[in-house]
């Protein structure tokens, strides 16, 4: 559990995978959370609540815990698949 928590915190601390705009109450998430959305909950509100504990700032955590906010998905870096 400790390793999962550490990895999740590291994942959401990366601006290429997570951003929060408090002025617009908008979350920009890795498309992984779109592709595997059902693993995080049955609705956008529940998905935000699920990831809330791992988000990098108390402000983002509180907003996500409320289950409200606009969600968009960031571009995925497919270049990782091209590395040899």
């Amino acid at each position: 559990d400790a390793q999962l928590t550490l990895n999740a915190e590291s994942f959401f601390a990366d601006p290429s995978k997570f951003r929060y705009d408090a002025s617009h109450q908008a979350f920009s998430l890795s498309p992984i959370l779109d592709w595997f959305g059902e693993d995080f909950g049955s609705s956008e509100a529940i998905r935000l609540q699920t990831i809330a504990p791992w988000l990098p700032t108390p402000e983002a955590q509180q907003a996500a815990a409320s289950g409200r906010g606009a969600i968009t998905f960031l571009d995925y870096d497919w270049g990782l698949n091209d590395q040899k």
Side-chain angles (χ1 to χ4, degrees):
D1 284 341
Q3 185 176 11
L4 174 61
T5 297
L6 184 62
N7 287 341
E9 289 171 346
S10 176
F11 179 88
F12 289 109
D14 181 343
S16 71
K17 296 179 179 91
F18 174 80
R19 296 181 201 139
Y20 176 62
D21 179 350
S23 64
H24 293 101
Q25 203 168 15
F27 295 88
S28 299
L29 306 174
S30 167
I32 291 171
L33 284 114
D34 184 26
W35 303 332
F36 299 99
E38 291 181 11
D39 293 342
F40 297 89
S42 59
S43 70
E44 286 188 352
I46 293 171
R47 292 174 193 161
L48 286 174
Q49 291 167 343
T50 299
I51 66 170
W54 301 307
L55 300 183
T57 66
E59 184 178 46
Q61 290 174 351
Q62 289 174 337
S66 77
R68 290 179 295 208
I71 294 176
T72 59
F73 295 99
L74 300 163
D75 291 330
Y76 186 76
D77 180 4
W78 292 101
L80 296 173
N81 294 343
D82 294 335
Q83 292 182 0
K84 295 179 181 176

